[in-house]
Amino acid sequence: MTSAIVVKGLFKRYGDIDVLRGVDLDIGHGEFYALMGQNGSGKTTLISIATGTSLPTKGHVEIHGHDIVDEPEKVKRIIGYVPQENFSSPALTGHENLVYFARLFGLDNSEANRAAEQLLERMGLAGDSRKRVLDYSGGMRKRLEVATALLPGIEVLFLDEPTTGLDPSARKGFLGTLREVNEEEATIFMVTHIGEDAEVASRVGFMDGGQIVLEGEPDRLKERSGLQNVIEVETPFKGKEVASVIGAFSVDGSLQETEEGYRLYCDEPEEAMPRLVRALDGVGCGAERIETRAPSLEDVFFKATMKPLRG
Amino acid sequence: MMKSNILATVVGKSLKEFTRERMVIFWTYAVPLFFLAVLPMMYGGAPAGVVPRLKGGLTLTMVTFLVMTAGQSNLPGSIAMDTERGLYLKMASMPVSPWKESLGRIIATWIFSLAGSALMLIVGLLYGAVFTGSYSDILVAAGFSFLTAVASSGVGLIIASLVKGESAATHTGVAITLITYFLGGMALPYTSLPEALKLFARLHPITSANASMVFLLEGESYIGYNPLVAAQVYTTVVLSLLVLVVGIVLYSNLCWRR
């Protein structure tokens, strides 16, 4: 597989802070790569350098063999970037927005109109193309914005936290659309801090402290993590004593505090759960809910970095 | 793939945004129209023969007020809104020249101002305003009006580059417009200003250009001094262009993140 995106020894420093500390990546043509990391881990900085909106301190990014710093014009003709923010104009219709971006991209008026109509159809927005974006739902607006990154000639898509603000149903539909786009040969590079979003990718990378600390196919990452099962415990209150009781049941001693209680990793949950309930009763903190599930990418991320993804 | 016209594309988009936003229309067009309707009520003591020319002077000043509002408030407001919603990140990843894009925004602001100015002149004439200049005076006055648009856009771009947030940028523009209007000899007679403000009125490219317009079309008695001396005209032209160039340079470097 030939490379679509190559990142070599990338560093970025803001003042005294090293946001990127030697990132190396090689993403093949047609791959769907999801980069996961906490807020502030350097994901957005990496995508902003790769799309030419920010300059690296050191290192290189090549898209289809063209260096983003030395040949920005060539790169900008083959990439489509969807920033985290909703950048479409609410005062314009969906059609007008797409024509605007198509013309900025270099298409003439008739090409831009044709491309806009095709993309609106493809994104399921044809019926709403004459409505102002002001009247679009969050999911419709995000699909419209992804359409701006699918103009003719674009081969590599960069998406920054594309599902932020979408409800679960809109998110599911949106991720399905991304899969379809990827199946049509487009290379996708997506950054996210939501594990479920990364599940649709063909390869996932974990970013922590400005470096890629682990990468691989989602299922392989889960297998290699050695995690068997996850237990989620909802407790009426939290505290050192409660954490110590629950932590004793964790296979590797690690315990993650969640909004409702705690999360731990366990090899034999059926055997551990009744004992855990009794132990919690013993310290006067009866579990309000306890359940087991298969490990997710967020769990694998925690295992690799000892940091919660949505911390 | 044919080359698209980025200028025309940005002009079209900016004009649609300006004309579809009711508050923009209200603050840019309705406020000066309101002043134009109300302020002549204070001319009760003036001789009847003078009132039409007072209305003419007021109409020209309200044209300048409108042009200032469009350039100094609407333009930075729309840029700040686009910054907030990440449009510049998107555009910086596309093959778009910041210079051409800024020119598109500026031209759209000028067209929006021109439409408002035409409306203001029509209303002024219907309301009894009289202009006395020759055809060449009208042409030169139009040139000075263009200079007010040039300088206003420059100030607007500077505001957009330095003030973050749509509301802050818009309000900064409104404040600068009102300060210029009240302290620069547009609201109060030039002769009644203290010396420091007289100097401000002569040096400020917008108030100076406005004074030149009124001088050309209504005469010196309506403006209080002769602004058409070579040094002042030269200063007005140079400062108007300088403010615009500084605005474009700041905008291209600060609003387009790199």
Side-chain angles (χ1 to χ4, degrees), chain B residues 134-226:
Chain B
S134 63
Y135 286 120
S136 65
D137 288 338
I138 291 170
L139 270 180
V140 177
F144 278 111
S145 186
F146 178 64
L147 283 181
T148 66
V150 168
S152 299
S153 309
V155 173
L157 290 174
I158 293 170
I159 294 170
S161 306
L162 303 178
V163 181
K164 302 299 168 209
E166 184 196 358
S167 175
T170 305
H171 287 108
T172 302
V174 169
I176 290 175
T177 298
L178 290 175
I179 288 168
T180 309
Y181 175 68
F182 282 106
L183 303 186
M186 293 168 76
L188 305 167
Y190 173 83
T191 47
S192 68
L193 296 176
E195 284 308 312
L197 290 184
K198 279 183 179 169
L199 183 67
F200 172 74
R202 282 172 177 264
L203 279 178
H204 195 301
I206 297 174
T207 55
S208 171
N210 180 69
S212 303
M213 267 198 304
V214 179
F215 180 89
L216 280 162
L217 299 184
E218 301 299 347
E220 184 170 350
S221 57
Y222 293 86
I223 201 67
Y225 73 104
N226 179 3

Side-chain angles (χ1 to χ4, degrees), chain A residues 56-308:
Chain A
T57 305
K58 207 167 96 181
H60 300 276
V61 177
E62 286 176 12
I63 312 290
H64 283 210
H66 302 294
D67 189 289
I68 182 67
V69 177
D70 297 337
E71 301 174 282
E73 288 303 313
K74 283 186 179 165
V75 172
K76 289 176 181 185
R77 297 223 165 266
I78 54 170
I79 64 166
Y81 175 34
V82 183
Q84 193 172 347
E85 298 91 341
N86 284 123
F87 58 83
S88 54
S89 172
L92 305 189
T93 65
H95 186 267
E96 287 169 339
N97 265 290
L98 276 184
V99 169
Y100 170 68
F101 286 107
R103 297 212 66 197
L104 286 186
F105 190 64
L107 305 189
D108 69 25
N109 201 36
S110 63
E111 286 172 330
N113 273 290
R114 206 176 318 125
E117 273 155 31
Q118 286 168 356
L119 288 169
L120 286 161
E121 184 73 46
R122 181 175 177 183
M123 289 290 155
L125 294 169
D128 300 298
S129 64
R130 308 290 159 179
K131 269 190 196 169
R132 288 199 197 170
V133 168
L134 189 68
D135 299 320
Y136 276 24
S137 68
M140 289 164 73
R141 194 165 179 184
K142 194 49 88 176
R143 276 185 282 150
L144 177 74
E145 288 166 356
V146 168
T148 67
L150 296 173
L151 291 164
I154 289 179
E155 297 180 52
V156 183
L157 267 73
F158 289 93
L159 310 167
D160 190 356
E161 306 278 6
T163 61
T164 302
L166 299 190
D167 61 52
S169 142
R171 225 181 77 224
K172 201 175 163 193
F174 175 75
L175 291 170
T177 306
L178 284 188
R179 280 293 283 268
E180 286 169 23
V181 168
N182 176 239
E183 279 160 14
E184 289 164 23
E185 303 283 291
T187 307
I188 298 182
F189 180 87
M190 174 176 81
V191 303
T192 180
H193 67 283
I194 302 172
E196 294 98 307
D197 292 1
E199 300 274 358
V200 299
S202 52
R203 193 151 58 106
V204 175
F206 292 162
M207 191 159 207
D208 185 37
Q211 290 176 312
I212 308 279
V213 293
L214 191 65
E215 61 177 353
E217 292 169 20
D219 290 340
R220 293 294 302 278
L221 280 176
K222 287 181 207 165
E223 278 170 32
R224 273 168 29 201
S225 73
L227 295 175
Q228 300 294 318
N229 291 285
V230 181
I231 296 178
E232 301 270 4
V233 190
E234 195 177 322
T235 52
F237 56 87
K238 299 175 195 171
K240 268 188 180 172
E241 192 183 11
V242 178
S244 151
V245 166
I246 299 174
F249 290 84
S250 170
V251 68
D252 56 0
S254 66
L255 184 70
Q256 199 177 341
E257 193 172 316
T258 62
E259 229 169 84
E260 299 86 12
Y262 297 90
R263 178 179 301 147
L264 65 154
Y265 305 109
C266 185
D267 286 345
E268 291 174 9
E270 282 74 21
E271 186 263 329
M273 277 164 60
R275 288 198 294 119
L276 176 55
V277 170
R278 281 197 297 277
L280 282 172
D281 284 341
V283 292
C285 180
E288 290 183 338
R289 186 178 60 87
I290 183 163
E291 63 182 29
T292 181
R293 60 169 174 79
S296 67
L297 282 172
E298 292 194 30
D299 299 311
V300 181
F301 181 88
F302 181 74
K303 180 94 191 303
T305 64
M306 295 311 290
K307 290 174 187 168

